Amino acid sequence: MFDPKALHKIGYGLYIITSKEGEKSNGQIANAVMQISAQPVIITVGIHKQNLTHEYITSSGHFVITVLEQETPFSLIQRFGFNSGRDIDKLAGVGHGWTGEQVPYITDHSLAYLAATIIQKVDAGTHTLFLGEVTEALILKEGAPMTYDYYHRVLKRGVPSTAPTFQFTEKKKGGQSMEKYICTVCGYVYDPEDGDPNNNISPGTPFSELPADWKCPVCGASKDKFEKES
């Protein structure tokens, strides 16, 4: 027996991981972060191999973990978690500082940062575990850190498809009179029978009749990011 909901009971935080390649910098949201040892202080982070941040960490040998506060607005999480650094400059307009290795760390809605130098890489299938020795660590402000549980239970938001905890929404059993559409960014399924009441979309509204400016209620993706559920 395998119930994927059991995985939701594992505790996680929500962080921004940044790195660089030459003069270029990038960052992404991650939840797979853990301290491994105390002497020396070793931390590890899991990064999807397709992500630009993965390329930068591999190239530079450095990464920074920024700890987000619980009050972090979804707009900041969306910027770093649901966009690609190949398309936008994620740090543009976002408060940040620089470590001694000239790797950026985020200062907006941040409690602390930890900078690390890679000492080992572990292949984990779709992801790489980067183990790094901490070279800098600083408290930026006091407050409660954002947790993965709070993000899902209170903010009721989803995760990008490259997140290690990503799971496609299970299909409901039984026949459906109208076709469902799935968000290719976060896996949210628009079910016409349910509609989207929080955004004034009444139950029974087909996907084709949704307003052109309607967006995914989980990650904010536009309609053109949806595909018919097979």
Side-chain angles (χ1 to χ4, degrees):
M1 182 176 180
F2 184 84
D3 185 352
K5 292 181 180 179
L7 297 171
H8 295 168
K9 301 303 181 182
I10 299 175
Y12 298 94
L14 209 63
Y15 314 91
I16 294 179
I17 311 301
T18 46
S19 191
K20 67 171 185 177
E21 184 177 61
E23 299 299 317
K24 298 179 293 183
S25 300
N26 191 57
Q28 67 163 77
I29 294 292
N31 62 354
V33 171
M34 184 178 182
Q35 180 179 347
I36 301 298
S37 68
Q39 294 181 343
V41 178
I42 305 297
I43 54 178
T44 184
V45 60
I47 303 293
H48 199 287
K49 294 175 181 177
Q50 295 179 358
N51 291 358
L52 184 62
T53 304
H54 186 283
E55 295 181 18
Y56 285 12
I57 295 176
T58 301
S59 174
S60 70
H62 301 282
F63 65 88
V64 175
I65 298 170
T66 297
V67 182
L68 296 175
E69 65 178 347
Q70 185 170 275
E71 294 76 16
T72 300
F74 180 66
S75 58
L76 184 64
I77 297 172
Q78 184 180 41
R79 182 175 187 83
F80 283 91
F82 294 95
N83 292 284
S84 171
R86 297 181 178 90
D87 302 323
I88 67 169
D89 179 356
K90 293 188 182 182
L91 275 71
V94 177
H96 60 278
W98 299 91
T99 69
E101 296 290 345
Q102 292 303 296
V103 179
Y105 60 88
I106 308 304
T107 56
D108 289 348
H109 303 285
S110 304
L111 300 181
Y113 80 86
L114 302 97
T117 298
I118 300 298
I119 60 171
Q120 188 176 348
K121 296 186 293 183
V122 179
D123 190 321
T126 57
H127 289 64
T128 296
L129 293 179
F130 293 101
L131 279 71
E133 182 173 350
V134 175
T135 56
E136 292 182 35
L138 183 67
I139 297 291
L140 300 176
K141 64 184 292 189
E142 296 297 334
M146 172 75 76
T147 66
Y148 202 61
D149 176 67
Y150 183 88
Y151 176 74
H152 278 294
R153 181 173 50 81
V154 179
L155 300 185
K156 300 184 185 301
R157 300 292 187 172
V159 299
S161 58
T162 55
T165 52
F166 175 80
Q167 295 177 14
F168 278 101
T169 303
E170 295 182 3
K171 300 178 182 179
K172 293 181 180 178
K173 300 183 184 300
Q176 299 292 336
S177 58
M178 290 180 284
E179 294 172 315
K180 302 176 187 178
Y181 281 73
I182 188 167
C183 177
T184 58
V185 177
C186 72
Y188 164 80
V189 175
Y190 175 77
D191 186 342
E193 290 197 356
D194 297 332
D196 181 13
N198 291 333
N199 290 299
N200 300 315
I201 304 298
S202 302
T205 303
F207 185 82
S208 60
E209 295 182 11
L210 293 175
D213 60 353
W214 180 82
K215 297 182 183 298
C216 175
V218 172
C219 71
S222 57
K223 282 184 66 178
D224 61 0
K225 298 297 184 182
F226 280 73
E227 294 181 353
K228 187 184 299 183
E229 186 182 54
S230 60

